[in-house]
PDB file of all heavy atoms in Angstrom:
ATOM      1  N   ASP P  28     -10.453  -6.223   2.734  1.00  0.00           N
ATOM      2  CA  ASP P  28     -11.034  -4.969   3.228  1.00  0.00           C
ATOM      3  C   ASP P  28     -10.011  -3.836   3.269  1.00  0.00           C
ATOM      4  O   ASP P  28     -10.092  -2.943   4.106  1.00  0.00           O
ATOM      5  CB  ASP P  28     -11.601  -5.173   4.636  1.00  0.00           C
ATOM      6  CG  ASP P  28     -12.875  -5.978   4.645  1.00  0.00           C
ATOM      7  OD1 ASP P  28     -13.565  -6.002   3.612  1.00  0.00           O
ATOM      8  OD2 ASP P  28     -13.185  -6.569   5.700  1.00  0.00           O
ATOM      9  N   SER P  29      -9.051  -3.867   2.361  1.00  0.00           N
ATOM     10  CA  SER P  29      -7.976  -2.874   2.420  1.00  0.00           C
ATOM     11  C   SER P  29      -8.480  -1.444   2.253  1.00  0.00           C
ATOM     12  O   SER P  29      -7.913  -0.521   2.827  1.00  0.00           O
ATOM     13  CB  SER P  29      -6.897  -3.171   1.376  1.00  0.00           C
ATOM     14  OG  SER P  29      -7.412  -3.065   0.065  1.00  0.00           O
ATOM     15  N   TRP P  30      -9.544  -1.250   1.502  1.00  0.00           N
ATOM     16  CA  TRP P  30     -10.067   0.110   1.358  1.00  0.00           C
ATOM     17  C   TRP P  30     -10.711   0.563   2.651  1.00  0.00           C
ATOM     18  O   TRP P  30     -10.433   1.648   3.155  1.00  0.00           O
ATOM     19  CB  TRP P  30     -11.032   0.216   0.167  1.00  0.00           C
ATOM     20  CG  TRP P  30     -10.266   0.319  -1.096  1.00  0.00           C
ATOM     21  CD1 TRP P  30      -9.958  -0.682  -1.961  1.00  0.00           C
ATOM     22  CD2 TRP P  30      -9.624   1.489  -1.609  1.00  0.00           C
ATOM     23  NE1 TRP P  30      -9.166  -0.214  -2.979  1.00  0.00           N
ATOM     24  CE2 TRP P  30      -8.952   1.119  -2.790  1.00  0.00           C
ATOM     25  CE3 TRP P  30      -9.547   2.807  -1.186  1.00  0.00           C
ATOM     26  CZ2 TRP P  30      -8.216   2.032  -3.553  1.00  0.00           C
ATOM     27  CZ3 TRP P  30      -8.820   3.717  -1.946  1.00  0.00           C
ATOM     28  CH2 TRP P  30      -8.160   3.320  -3.112  1.00  0.00           C
ATOM     29  N   TYR P  31     -11.562  -0.269   3.200  1.00  0.00           N
ATOM     30  CA  TYR P  31     -12.292   0.110   4.407  1.00  0.00           C
ATOM     31  C   TYR P  31     -11.354   0.335   5.596  1.00  0.00           C
ATOM     32  O   TYR P  31     -11.470   1.334   6.306  1.00  0.00           O
ATOM     33  CB  TYR P  31     -13.331  -0.964   4.748  1.00  0.00           C
ATOM     34  CG  TYR P  31     -14.179  -0.606   5.938  1.00  0.00           C
ATOM     35  CD1 TYR P  31     -15.194   0.332   5.834  1.00  0.00           C
ATOM     36  CD2 TYR P  31     -13.942  -1.193   7.179  1.00  0.00           C
ATOM     37  CE1 TYR P  31     -15.962   0.682   6.925  1.00  0.00           C
ATOM     38  CE2 TYR P  31     -14.705  -0.855   8.278  1.00  0.00           C
ATOM     39  CZ  TYR P  31     -15.716   0.086   8.147  1.00  0.00           C
ATOM     40  OH  TYR P  31     -16.465   0.432   9.239  1.00  0.00           O
ATOM     41  N   HIS P  32     -10.432  -0.571   5.806  1.00  0.00           N
ATOM     42  CA  HIS P  32      -9.571  -0.501   6.988  1.00  0.00           C
ATOM     43  C   HIS P  32      -8.248   0.215   6.747  1.00  0.00           C
ATOM     44  O   HIS P  32      -7.661   0.748   7.694  1.00  0.00           O
ATOM     45  CB  HIS P  32      -9.275  -1.908   7.522  1.00  0.00           C
ATOM     46  CG  HIS P  32     -10.493  -2.605   8.033  1.00  0.00           C
ATOM     47  ND1 HIS P  32     -11.155  -2.210   9.166  1.00  0.00           N
ATOM     48  CD2 HIS P  32     -11.189  -3.657   7.547  1.00  0.00           C
ATOM     49  CE1 HIS P  32     -12.192  -2.987   9.374  1.00  0.00           C
ATOM     50  NE2 HIS P  32     -12.241  -3.885   8.397  1.00  0.00           N
ATOM     51  N   GLY P  33      -7.762   0.218   5.523  1.00  0.00           N
ATOM     52  CA  GLY P  33      -6.456   0.801   5.242  1.00  0.00           C
ATOM     53  C   GLY P  33      -6.519   2.155   4.570  1.00  0.00           C
ATOM     54  O   GLY P  33      -6.086   3.159   5.131  1.00  0.00           O
ATOM     55  N   HIS P  34      -7.070   2.177   3.374  1.00  0.00           N
ATOM     56  CA  HIS P  34      -7.055   3.399   2.577  1.00  0.00           C
ATOM     57  C   HIS P  34      -8.000   4.489   3.098  1.00  0.00           C
ATOM     58  O   HIS P  34      -7.622   5.656   3.174  1.00  0.00           O
ATOM     59  CB  HIS P  34      -7.411   3.099   1.115  1.00  0.00           C
ATOM     60  CG  HIS P  34      -6.457   2.161   0.453  1.00  0.00           C
ATOM     61  ND1 HIS P  34      -5.149   2.491   0.177  1.00  0.00           N
ATOM     62  CD2 HIS P  34      -6.621   0.882   0.010  1.00  0.00           C
ATOM     63  CE1 HIS P  34      -4.544   1.472  -0.410  1.00  0.00           C
ATOM     64  NE2 HIS P  34      -5.412   0.474  -0.524  1.00  0.00           N
ATOM     65  N   ASN P  35      -9.240   4.107   3.401  1.00  0.00           N
ATOM     66  CA  ASN P  35     -10.228   5.123   3.777  1.00  0.00           C
ATOM     67  C   ASN P  35      -9.800   5.993   4.949  1.00  0.00           C
ATOM     68  O   ASN P  35      -9.916   7.225   4.871  1.00  0.00           O
ATOM     69  CB  ASN P  35     -11.593   4.491   4.031  1.00  0.00           C
ATOM     70  CG  ASN P  35     -12.250   3.995   2.760  1.00  0.00           C
ATOM     71  OD1 ASN P  35     -11.694   4.119   1.668  1.00  0.00           O
ATOM     72  ND2 ASN P  35     -13.420   3.416   2.888  1.00  0.00           N
ATOM     73  N   PRO P  36      -9.272   5.440   6.046  1.00  0.00           N
ATOM     74  CA  PRO P  36      -8.822   6.308   7.140  1.00  0.00           C
ATOM     75  C   PRO P  36      -7.716   7.283   6.716  1.00  0.00           C
ATOM     76  O   PRO P  36      -7.685   8.425   7.172  1.00  0.00           O
ATOM     77  CB  PRO P  36      -8.320   5.322   8.201  1.00  0.00           C
ATOM     78  CG  PRO P  36      -9.042   4.054   7.909  1.00  0.00           C
ATOM     79  CD  PRO P  36      -9.198   4.016   6.413  1.00  0.00           C
ATOM     80  N   ILE P  37      -6.837   6.834   5.840  1.00  0.00           N
ATOM     81  CA  ILE P  37      -5.766   7.709   5.334  1.00  0.00           C
ATOM     82  C   ILE P  37      -6.366   8.845   4.507  1.00  0.00           C
ATOM     83  O   ILE P  37      -5.994  10.012   4.663  1.00  0.00           O
ATOM     84  CB  ILE P  37      -4.758   6.888   4.498  1.00  0.00           C
ATOM     85  CG1 ILE P  37      -3.998   5.916   5.391  1.00  0.00           C
ATOM     86  CG2 ILE P  37      -3.802   7.800   3.724  1.00  0.00           C
ATOM     87  CD1 ILE P  37      -3.196   4.867   4.647  1.00  0.00           C
ATOM     88  N   ILE P  38      -7.301   8.507   3.634  1.00  0.00           N
ATOM     89  CA  ILE P  38      -7.953   9.503   2.774  1.00  0.00           C
ATOM     90  C   ILE P  38      -8.730  10.509   3.621  1.00  0.00           C
ATOM     91  O   ILE P  38      -8.635  11.722   3.417  1.00  0.00           O
ATOM     92  CB  ILE P  38      -8.870   8.807   1.751  1.00  0.00           C
ATOM     93  CG1 ILE P  38      -8.034   7.974   0.774  1.00  0.00           C
ATOM     94  CG2 ILE P  38      -9.740   9.818   1.004  1.00  0.00           C
ATOM     95  CD1 ILE P  38      -8.850   6.980  -0.054  1.00  0.00           C
ATOM     96  N   ILE P  39      -9.504  10.017   4.577  1.00  0.00           N
ATOM     97  CA  ILE P  39     -10.315  10.888   5.443  1.00  0.00           C
ATOM     98  C   ILE P  39      -9.432  11.855   6.211  1.00  0.00           C
ATOM     99  O   ILE P  39      -9.689  13.057   6.249  1.00  0.00           O
ATOM    100  CB  ILE P  39     -11.185  10.038   6.394  1.00  0.00           C
ATOM    101  CG1 ILE P  39     -12.248   9.274   5.601  1.00  0.00           C
ATOM    102  CG2 ILE P  39     -11.830  10.905   7.472  1.00  0.00           C
ATOM    103  CD1 ILE P  39     -12.892   8.121   6.360  1.00  0.00           C
ATOM    104  N   SER P  40      -8.376  11.342   6.797  1.00  0.00           N
ATOM    105  CA  SER P  40      -7.456  12.190   7.552  1.00  0.00           C
ATOM    106  C   SER P  40      -6.832  13.264   6.660  1.00  0.00           C
ATOM    107  O   SER P  40      -6.736  14.429   7.055  1.00  0.00           O
ATOM    108  CB  SER P  40      -6.367  11.322   8.181  1.00  0.00           C
ATOM    109  OG  SER P  40      -5.425  12.119   8.839  1.00  0.00           O
TER     110      SER P  40
END
Side-chain angles (χ1 to χ4, degrees):
D28 287 336
S29 64
W30 281 97
Y31 183 76
H32 295 291
H34 299 292
N35 289 0
I37 293 168
I38 294 166
I39 293 163
S40 176

